[in-house]
Amino acid sequence: MREGVLWTNLSRCEISRRLAEMGTSASRYTVRKLLKKHGLGQRKTRKKKTLGAHPDRDAQFQNIARLKAAYMAKEEPVISIDSKKKELIGNFSREGYTYTQTPVDALDHDFPSAGEGKLIPHGIYDLARNEGHMNLNTSHDTSEFCCDSIAHWWKQQGCQHYPKARRLLLLCDGGGSNAANRHVFKEALQVLAKRLGLEIRVAHYPPYCSKYNPIEHRLFSHITRACQGVVFHSVAIAKQFMEKTKTCKGLKVTVDILTGIYVTGKKCAENFLENMRIIFDDYLPRWNYRAVPQTI
């Protein structure tokens, strides 16, 4: 082999044929042994290189660590939120394998018009209790849906697990329905704080760091595994398989279906900025702020 060769996309048969043309006959089985000897194995591309590093990246990670420790020490809720990948509802093929006695046939094209809509899963992960909750909707992924999802979790579980809590720490990335630079999200958050009677502190992860959001690797990855290869013929089937998610570390997952209709393109009220009850921290205010209910 040429010195410095790190990878090749040639098959073993192609390498065998090229070797024969060069005067060295070697079967594809011999080629496999030679590839192994030279440390060449089949690998897939890894998403490891970040697009960029914000100058305040490490400072925000340290700040989030301090906030988590402070809230957990007082047994106050710390939740991580995000929207999982949207899924088409219908007889559409999905990645993964299942054990089955008969073939599973799906449509040969993923045309949304051939299905029954799009599934939007919004997740909430409770760091202290190692519990996940998914709210499923078929409307749109908006800031209003995000806050309704949190409110539903709080009324169903949060207030029971944390009856004395007056504060809530929310960890999320900086884009999508919970974007750090959107007034619509802050307005919905303010309504949520008043609705729940809680001070809601938000800590956004820096740009290009959403993979460090706890929900990504502590909940979503396990839900993906539990649902691999399953055709989502209906929202009920998606709910059924997501609820089966569990790990040897004791992860529990509950799932509910929210039937609300959420409209995209919504703008915040004209007087929102004047009446805003959002308190920005002195330290990295664009990523750290609190929504304060009127009762406080």
Side-chain angles (χ1 to χ4, degrees):
M1 290 183 60
R2 293 196 312 272
E3 210 174 314
V5 174
L6 298 178
W7 64 274
T8 178
N9 60 352
L10 298 175
S11 68
R12 293 196 299 269
C13 289
E14 289 173 325
I15 295 174
S16 176
R17 188 163 53 249
R18 291 196 181 193
L19 286 173
E21 292 172 357
M22 296 168 62
T24 304
S25 61
S27 68
R28 58 192 178 99
Y29 302 106
T30 303
V31 170
R32 181 175 62 183
K33 293 179 181 179
L34 291 171
L35 289 172
K36 185 176 181 180
K37 177 182 177 181
H38 289 277
L40 287 165
Q42 286 186 323
R43 296 180 176 89
K44 65 185 296 184
T45 305
R46 301 185 303 174
K47 294 183 178 181
K48 290 290 185 179
K49 294 186 176 181
T50 180
L51 287 172
H54 196 281
D56 294 326
R57 177 184 183 277
D58 292 342
Q60 179 62 357
F61 271 101
Q62 293 172 10
N63 184 51
I64 289 175
R66 286 193 298 267
L67 289 172
K68 285 197 298 185
Y71 273 70
M72 287 185 172
K74 295 183 178 181
E75 296 185 352
E76 293 176 312
V78 179
I79 62 173
S80 170
I81 67 165
D82 200 4
S83 294
K84 200 177 182 300
K85 177 186 175 184
K86 300 176 181 63
E87 302 275 1
L88 290 174
I89 303 172
N91 191 22
F92 300 108
S93 175
R94 298 186 63 254
E95 292 184 2
Y97 298 88
T98 57
Y99 287 100
T100 175
Q101 294 181 335
T102 58
V104 179
D105 296 328
L107 297 175
D108 58 351
H109 286 80
D110 294 341
F111 293 142
S113 58
E116 300 180 9
K118 187 173 289 187
L119 179 70
I120 304 169
H122 187 269
I124 299 166
Y125 177 71
D126 187 334
L127 274 70
R129 298 180 59 83
N130 191 27
E131 293 180 353
H133 180 78
M134 299 296 297
N135 286 312
L136 310 181
N137 184 260
T138 56
S139 183
H140 295 95
D141 186 16
T142 66
S143 298
E144 187 180 3
F145 170 52
C146 171
C147 290
D148 279 354
S149 177
I150 298 170
H152 183 81
W153 167 82
W154 178 255
K155 291 179 179 179
Q156 294 294 319
Q157 300 180 27
C159 62
Q160 299 175 19
H161 299 324
Y162 305 97
K164 298 180 180 180
R166 294 295 176 264
R167 301 188 305 169
L168 169 68
L169 175 59
L170 195 65
L171 306 178
C172 56
D173 57 25
S177 58
N178 46 249
N181 58 353
R182 294 186 62 193
H183 292 314
V184 174
F185 173 61
K186 292 181 175 65
E187 183 181 38
L189 198 68
Q190 183 172 295
V191 173
L192 178 65
K194 179 181 178 182
R195 183 177 172 185
L196 303 182
L198 292 173
E199 176 191 282
I200 302 176
R201 172 177 283 281
V202 181
H204 291 277
Y205 282 88
Y208 314 120
C209 295
S210 59
K211 64 181 179 181
Y212 297 106
N213 193 359
I215 195 172
E216 295 288 347
H217 49 273
R218 295 189 184 180
L219 178 61
F220 285 171
S221 60
H222 302 298
I223 287 179
T224 299
R225 175 181 50 78
C227 298
Q228 63 179 355
V230 177
V231 178
F232 288 165
H233 290 284
S234 65
V235 179
I237 291 178
K239 176 180 184 293
Q240 175 187 345
F241 280 88
M242 287 184 183
E243 285 177 330
K244 293 181 178 180
T245 305
K246 59 182 179 180
T247 67
C248 59
K249 297 292 186 181
L251 173 68
K252 297 179 182 178
V253 178
T254 54
V255 186
D256 285 325
I257 299 173
L258 301 187
T259 57
I261 304 298
Y262 300 96
V263 181
T264 59
K266 184 178 179 180
K267 299 184 182 298
C268 60
E270 294 182 0
N271 60 346
F272 170 68
L273 294 179
E274 290 77 11
N275 301 323
M276 183 170 62
R277 296 181 64 83
I278 301 292
I279 302 174
F280 293 90
D281 290 6
D282 295 331
Y283 187 71
L284 300 176
R286 61 188 174 279
W287 295 333
N288 302 283
Y289 48 86
R290 293 174 292 142
V292 183
Q294 294 180 358
T295 55
I296 293 181

